[in-house]
């Protein structure tokens, strides 16, 4: 089938170096303007304090310091219109969706280009 593509602006937050190298490259190939961040703190500074223009945030859940949830909660306060996709190797989706209203979708690791491409389109097309 066709690979889901887009041109929107996406922040990608992940503490794992390999993923941080790989996934933004994959998203760029799909046409997105990607802003990679190594930590939630870094991402929140750019998004909340500096007002980085974005359409979507994709974040890992398991990160040292501020985890993906805490980040989603903070984002909901500063940029309530911004949808979040939560990525995790754990199967705790139900618990997630309750805690922050801006989490639109839960993506399990491992995922591939098609899966993340589809997830992003599903979320952004619903927002539109």
């Amino acid at each position: 089938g066709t690979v889901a593509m887009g041109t929107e602006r996406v922040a990608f937050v992940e503490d794992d170096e390999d993923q941080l190298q790989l996934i933004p490259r994959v998203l760029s190939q799909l046409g997105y303007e990607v802003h990679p961040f190594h930590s939630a703190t870094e991402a929140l500074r750019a998004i909340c304090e500096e007002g980085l223009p974005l359409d979507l945030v994709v974040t890992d859940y398991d990160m040292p310091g501020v985890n993906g949830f805490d980040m989603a909660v903070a984002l909901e306060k500063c940029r309530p219109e911004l949808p979040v996709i939560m990525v995790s190797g754990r199967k705790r989706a139900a618990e997630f969706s309750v805690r922050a209203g801006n989490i639109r979708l839960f993506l399990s690791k491992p995922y591939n280009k098609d899966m993340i491409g589809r997830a992003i389109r599903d979320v952004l097309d619903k927002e539109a």
Side-chain angles (χ1 to χ4, degrees):
T2 19
V3 181
M5 298 185 71
T7 55
E8 289 91 347
R9 300 156 302 187
V10 179
F12 180 75
V13 191
E14 168 66 81
D15 63 299
D16 180 278
E17 274 305 332
D18 294 339
Q19 292 280 303
L20 197 61
Q21 292 300 315
L22 175 71
I23 303 301
R25 209 162 45 227
V26 164
L27 296 180
S28 298
Q29 288 166 359
L30 292 173
Y32 296 102
E33 179 189 307
V34 194
H35 300 269
F37 294 99
H38 195 261
S39 72
T41 313
E42 204 181 284
L44 287 170
R45 189 178 308 123
I47 299 167
C48 295
E49 291 170 32
E50 295 159 22
L52 177 70
L54 285 175
D55 299 294
L56 174 74
V57 175
V58 179
T59 181
D60 190 42
Y61 167 62
D62 294 289
M63 294 186 289
V66 182
N67 70 28
F69 253 154
D70 301 335
M71 183 173 128
V73 170
L75 279 174
E76 197 172 21
K77 291 192 184 87
C78 79
R79 299 275 290 275
E81 81 293 346
L82 203 54
V84 175
I85 291 178
M86 185 70 59
V87 179
S88 176
R90 308 179 187 206
K91 298 279 179 276
R92 282 161 58 188
E95 179 194 319
F96 289 167
S97 50
V98 196
R99 298 242 322 251
N102 53 350
I103 300 173
R104 300 283 189 271
L105 196 134
F106 179 81
L107 185 63
S108 291
K109 287 179 171 178
Y111 57 87
N112 60 26
K113 183 175 182 173
D114 282 352
M115 288 158 75
I116 192 165
R118 172 65 44 218
I120 289 174
R121 279 285 26 109
D122 283 354
V123 171
L124 288 174
D125 293 345
K126 275 198 192 77
E127 299 293 311

